[in-house]
Amino acid sequence: MSQIMGKRAREPEELESSSTKRGRVGPSSRLLELSDELLLRILSSLSVPTLALCQSLCRRLEGIAGDSQLWKAAYYDRFVRPRASRIPGIKESGAPRASLFYSSRTSKWLDEEGLVQRGRDVNWKGQYKLRHNWARGRCDVSEIAVAPAVSTPPLLVQLYEGTIVTADARAGLRAWNARGRHELMASTDLVEVGETSRSAVVPTSLALDGDGGGYGSEEVGVAVGFSNGSFRLYGLNVGRPMFHHRCTHAPHARSPLAAIAYHEKYVATLTERPLLSLYRFPSGPDRHLAGDGGRWEAPALSCSLRSQTVWPPLSLSLRRRFGDVVVSIAYALPTVSSGWTVGIQEVQVTADGEIAGSRLASAIKPGFVPFSAPASARSCPLASGWTGPRRGLRSSSGPTSVCYTHPYLLATHPDNTLTLYLVTSAADRLEISAGSRLWGHTSSVVGAYVDRRGRAVSVSGRGRELRVWELEGGVLSAGGGGGGGRRRRATGAVSVPVRVEAGMDGEAAAEEDVPDVPDVARPASSDGGPRTAEQEAVGDGARWNGWIGFDEEQVVLLQPKELSQALVIYDFT
């Protein structure tokens, strides 16, 4: 019978020599003994990568390191203060003014004051990550199939704060949610009701107004121009997705509308002849028709101007300046000596709808002579949706597209470059600066969009290469005086390619990423040089039927394919 052995009892000497188990004592536990206020003060001196790392250490540090005030200060120091330090009057050398350092009460937020006014509703860590991803070109990508086949004329697209509006004769007017599930929000037919039948009309231009037509409502104003010269205005209720037909304006000139702009109570149209027309709604509640609360009275024609100097590609826009409205047309301009340049025409209209003046400016150097449009060219209308150079002219160096958002005028070229111009629009003068050529693309640049802050996105024809540009303050300026010709590179001298990265996590990216290589910015030159295959294609009349635009969070690209069309959404959140 086996004997079961019990556990041997320890001897008294062993009990005395055995050490008791002690708690772990180290710098981490001593740090956590501090109050939240002291920890917050300590974490405020850390870099952003270290601050993001602290959130993974423990639950307490996760909450404190994610404090909104920490990320608000980091956002200001990286994205706002560098812009504020470039305000004229602050010297480049030496320490910046103390007022430029972050302060919750006295900091100057420039045009980002709206973020501050939202108070606690702002996720400052999310805003920092968003701007960081823009600066690095890091994004996720998705697609929305919008048409089973390529339409003629091309599908029209506009974007406003996460809502995409498309228009074509086959599917009508549609609104898509660019954020979240990418679903169809609302749609309505674009038909013309006759005495005996209903027929679809062909949309040729599209514009959005975020102010809902000037009434400050939650609606997005939608203006659609058609091939018969008429246009319609709709209201898109984003909260309860639905299009409301507001009014229809009969054709003023029997010519397709090549461009349309909509801002508050003004609508500007440009026909293919080209004829510029400005329409104005009555002020106050008189806009609504009696007995029909959902419909508006059609706007009245304020003025019309016919131009013999506007050439495609072009850009039409409306903006407020003091109490007046300024209608701007930026366009390509052929010249005898240089081949091509850009021009701009401004029409100033008073609050009463009267023309206060019209003026022209171009980037032509002294001694250059623009082409006079021959009789055949005057009678030749602009093709619907046409964004490329006109056949029969020296188009090898001509721009493939033009985008103007005051004060930035951006032209794209088939030689893989872009040209940036700065427009000065003062009470006594209208000027276009000498252009600066932007390099970075590896194939013909077919489209670009620039916003009022100088951020731009461009796309090339081959491989759909996208690049993000920071053009605020111009691209390259030369130092003068005692600087010995020293050249200062502003933010616009750098662009980054858009890189799609799957599985982006929610943490802010480290700032120790590999620095981007600056792109060379050179003065624009009209010398062509040997033409590439892509230059031949664009110069011979080929055109890009896509579209590109962006808001604060996303870039949307209309990508025509062989048998379908899709909206490609690049999400930087």
Side-chain angles (χ1 to χ4, degrees), residues 210-245:
D211 293 329
Y215 275 83
S217 63
E218 296 181 356
E219 286 189 348
V220 176
V222 182
V224 186
F226 297 98
S227 57
N228 62 359
S230 66
F231 65 88
R232 298 180 191 174
L233 300 182
Y234 294 85
L236 172 60
N237 191 324
V238 180
R240 300 175 58 185
M242 181 180 299
F243 283 106
H244 301 283
H245 182 200

Side-chain angles (χ1 to χ4, degrees), residues 187-199:
S187 63
T188 186
D189 295 330
L190 295 176
V191 296
E192 188 174 25
V193 180
E195 295 181 358
T196 59
S197 63
R198 292 162 54 92
S199 59

Side-chain angles (χ1 to χ4, degrees), residues 491-564:
T491 56
V494 175
S495 74
V496 294
V498 174
R499 302 187 299 269
V500 178
E501 300 187 5
M504 291 174 57
D505 55 20
E507 296 299 326
E511 292 186 79
E512 281 81 1
D513 291 349
V514 179
D516 301 304
V517 179
D519 298 307
V520 180
R522 306 173 183 173
S525 173
S526 59
D527 299 334
R531 296 179 66 187
T532 64
E534 300 249 358
Q535 286 177 282
E536 294 287 349
V538 176
D540 291 340
R543 59 178 177 176
W544 181 57
N545 290 333
W547 177 89
I548 188 169
F550 63 87
D551 59 11
E552 289 296 324
E553 298 183 1
Q554 297 168 321
V555 173
V556 176
L557 172 68
L558 174 62
Q559 185 170 348
K561 301 180 180 179
E562 294 183 0
L563 300 177
S564 64

Side-chain angles (χ1 to χ4, degrees), residues 305-327:
L305 296 173
R306 188 176 298 277
S307 175
Q308 300 292 343
T309 60
V310 173
W311 294 72
L314 54 84
S315 174
L316 177 66
S317 61
L318 279 170
R319 76 176 191 276
R320 281 277 189 183
R321 187 175 64 186
F322 305 113
D324 298 339
V325 173
V326 177
V327 186

Side-chain angles (χ1 to χ4, degrees), residues 147-227:
V150 177
S151 59
T152 304
L155 181 75
L156 305 175
V157 186
Q158 289 291 335
L159 171 68
Y160 178 76
E161 292 187 356
T163 301
I164 305 173
V165 178
T166 63
D168 66 307
R170 181 180 305 171
L173 190 63
R174 294 177 290 176
W176 308 81
N177 184 5
R179 301 169 185 172
R181 300 175 58 183
H182 301 335
E183 58 186 358
L184 179 65
M185 298 169 53
S187 63
T188 186
D189 295 330
L190 295 176
V191 296
E192 188 174 25
V193 180
E195 295 181 358
T196 59
S197 63
R198 292 162 54 92
S199 59
V201 290
V202 180
T204 56
S205 54
L206 178 66
L208 302 183
D209 177 27
D211 293 329
Y215 275 83
S217 63
E218 296 181 356
E219 286 189 348
V220 176
V222 182
V224 186
F226 297 98
S227 57

